[in-house]
Amino acid sequence: MSGTLYVVATPIGNLEDMTYRAVRILQEADLIAAEDTRHSRKLLNHYGINTALISYHEHNEESRSSQLLDKLHAGQSIALISDAGTPCIADPGYRLVSRCRQAGLAVAAVPGASALVAALSISGLPTDAFSFIGFLPAKTHGRRQLLESIKMAKQTIVCYETPHRLIASLTDIADVCGGDRLIAVARELTKRHEELFSGTVIEAQNHFSQSGVKGELVLLLAPAPDCQPEGTVRDALLRLREETDLNWKEIVKQVAKEFSLPGSDVYKESLELR
Ligand code: SAM
């Protein structure tokens, strides 16, 4: 009989956010694969767990996965944990899980805390649909490119950010998505200095420039507002003819884009006005 890989969530701050099942699975496992074994040993001591630890982090994922697969095939049960929260979510683990699945080995979730879900649940932003995009790119160029691709998204965008890049990221968000877009910043969730800032991007810039930024952060950007163009297609065609030097082809293209209509429909309407 092969063993099972358990993907076990651990707290993101408050040590009481550990499930009974997580403690039992970690106690009963033959081995715990952890990102940072010294960090995890302290956490496990808190719950009286003495199971052996082995390191599994982004620099040894490939080689370590092969060893762990051998142990699972030999019947051992292994629990995977990360430094905090749910493994595989902006943390190592995906490669191991994927290889276990390909090999037909059992993989079981032991769910619990994850910063993205905790932040979303208290953000006050729409939760019916959201996209999690991991960490924002570190450099402005990459960040702006990514923001361009999501600025019209109709769902809440959730991402992780480091405190020393927050102000630069807020500046890029203001420039690309608009300073009046609603944003929430969840800081130090479940810890003593927990804070949920909510307001416009400009208000967030002011708030965090004044208070300084410390601790762990989740950024949540509100969906793009519905911008229904005002007036009719005919009004828009006439307005562009009066107010710009655009030719009819360009006017039709622009109005079609504004109203999200096929160019041929707008073209037909424009014929009456020419
Ligand atoms: N696997 C983890 C999870 O499930 O949330 C995330 C790991 S990722 C390497 C760490 C990032 O998660 C931090 O840089 C921060 O953006 C976010 N994070 C973790 N704990 C947090 C907390 N208590 N409050 C706010 N954000 C947190």
Side-chain angles (χ1 to χ4, degrees), residues 32-46 53-57 81-83:
I32 298 174
E35 237 188 314
D36 177 342
T37 51
R38 279 172 55 183
H39 167 93
S40 293
R41 179 48 71 206
K42 283 190 212 146
L43 179 87
L44 298 175
N45 283 344
H46 180 83
L53 281 163
I54 189 168
S55 70
Y56 177 88
H57 46 70
I81 60 175
S82 60
D83 284 351

Side-chain angles (χ1 to χ4, degrees), residues 12 84-86 89-91 114-115 135 160 188-189 191 216-218:
I12 56 168
T86 303
I89 307 299
D91 264 340
S114 187
F135 280 93
Y160 290 159
E188 293 287 88
L189 289 168
K191 303 186 204 173
E216 298 192 283
L217 306 167
V218 184

